[in-house]
Amino acid sequence: MHLYSVVLFLHIVVVLLAFGLSSSLHAGEWGGHRATTVAELRVYRRTARLEPLFPLFTVLLFVLGAWLVHLSHGSWEYGDAWVSASIAALVVLLVVGGAVLAPRSKVAGAALAAAPEGPIDPALRAVLNDRISWQMGHLNTGMAIAVIYLMTSKPGAAGSIVALIIGAAAGFAIGTVGASKQSAVQPSMTAI
Ligand code: HEM
């Protein structure tokens, strides 16, 4: 077996781990409105404590991707639009994750940890349904899906940029819809 295939396998394993974690986080976000007690909400949000793994996944994706570029002996180069665009996308993922999502998630986690057992206080719901977290979290996922298109189709500069913009915009739009739905169900849930 070629080393290239092994490194590609590891690269894809990290992709699966990262998407597995983000799917679980999104499932907790989208399902959280069904929770009527703080204990239930803690179950929906239980994988949030694994969020600090995202920077590690990002670094691993870069290291393994760069190794693949090296092992390809010139088939792929950093000058290729799909490679440089995916590196730029990784930087965006890191910055959004570290500067926007992580601090908000810390606040939400602390509020949930401090909440007394029983029905969910509207103020706690408001902290957990933070619109920017919804929008930017989904933006990151959409952009990461667009990077998969870059990896598999290897488009030129225009195609790479358009794909990343479409992925990010679609993610942002889905996050906006999700945040609005949560706020819409909030009053009825708290009335139960
Ligand atoms: C969010 C970040 C990333 C994701 C989700 C991702 C995903 C993937 C996937 C799914 C493949 C398999 C494609 C296929 O076999 O057709 C792949 C291959 C590859 N990736 Fe990435 N990747 C990411 C970042 C990077 C970065 C930053 C680099 C370069 C520094 C890179 C370099 C490569 C290379 C060279 C291949 C092999 C392409 C081939 O053999 O056809 N990746 N990536």
Side-chain angles (χ1 to χ4, degrees):
M1 197 195 288
H2 285 125
L3 179 59
Y4 187 94
S5 316
V6 177
V7 177
L8 179 57
F9 164 73
L10 294 175
H11 190 66
I12 293 175
V13 168
V14 178
V15 173
L16 292 173
L17 290 174
F19 274 98
L21 178 54
S22 64
S23 302
S24 151
L25 292 171
H26 289 316
E29 281 176 309
W30 284 85
H33 72 84
R34 289 194 202 93
T36 53
T37 65
V38 169
E40 284 171 12
L41 207 45
R42 288 195 179 119
V43 174
Y44 277 107
R45 298 263 169 176
R46 68 189 177 283
T47 44
R49 64 177 179 275
L50 297 178
E51 278 172 2
L53 287 175
F54 277 123
L56 174 68
F57 291 149
T58 313
V59 170
L60 283 175
L61 280 172
F62 174 74
V63 169
L64 293 166
W67 197 359
L68 286 169
V69 171
H70 171 74
L71 290 172
S72 78
H73 297 298
S75 294
W76 323 128
E77 292 178 352
Y78 290 103
D80 294 342
W82 65 277
V83 175
S84 39
S86 61
I87 294 174
L90 272 191
V91 172
V92 174
L93 294 180
L94 260 183
V95 170
V96 169
V100 180
L101 298 173
R104 290 181 147 76
S105 177
K106 251 188 195 163
V107 171
L112 189 55
E117 294 300 339
I120 301 163
D121 187 80
L124 175 62
R125 263 198 205 281
V127 172
L128 294 180
N129 292 338
D130 172 57
R131 176 170 287 266
I132 291 177
S133 301
W134 270 86
Q135 291 168 327
M136 300 310 280
H138 286 76
L139 177 145
N140 263 8
T141 303
M143 189 178 281
I145 291 172
V147 173
I148 295 190
Y149 171 75
L150 265 54
M151 299 285 134
T152 52
S153 305
K154 304 177 179 51
S160 298
I161 293 168
V162 169
L164 290 178
I165 291 174
I166 290 177
F172 188 89
I174 292 170
T176 305
V177 170
S180 308
K181 279 196 163 184
Q182 301 292 314
S183 337
V185 294
Q186 224 168 285
S188 61
M189 294 307 299
T190 48
I192 288 173

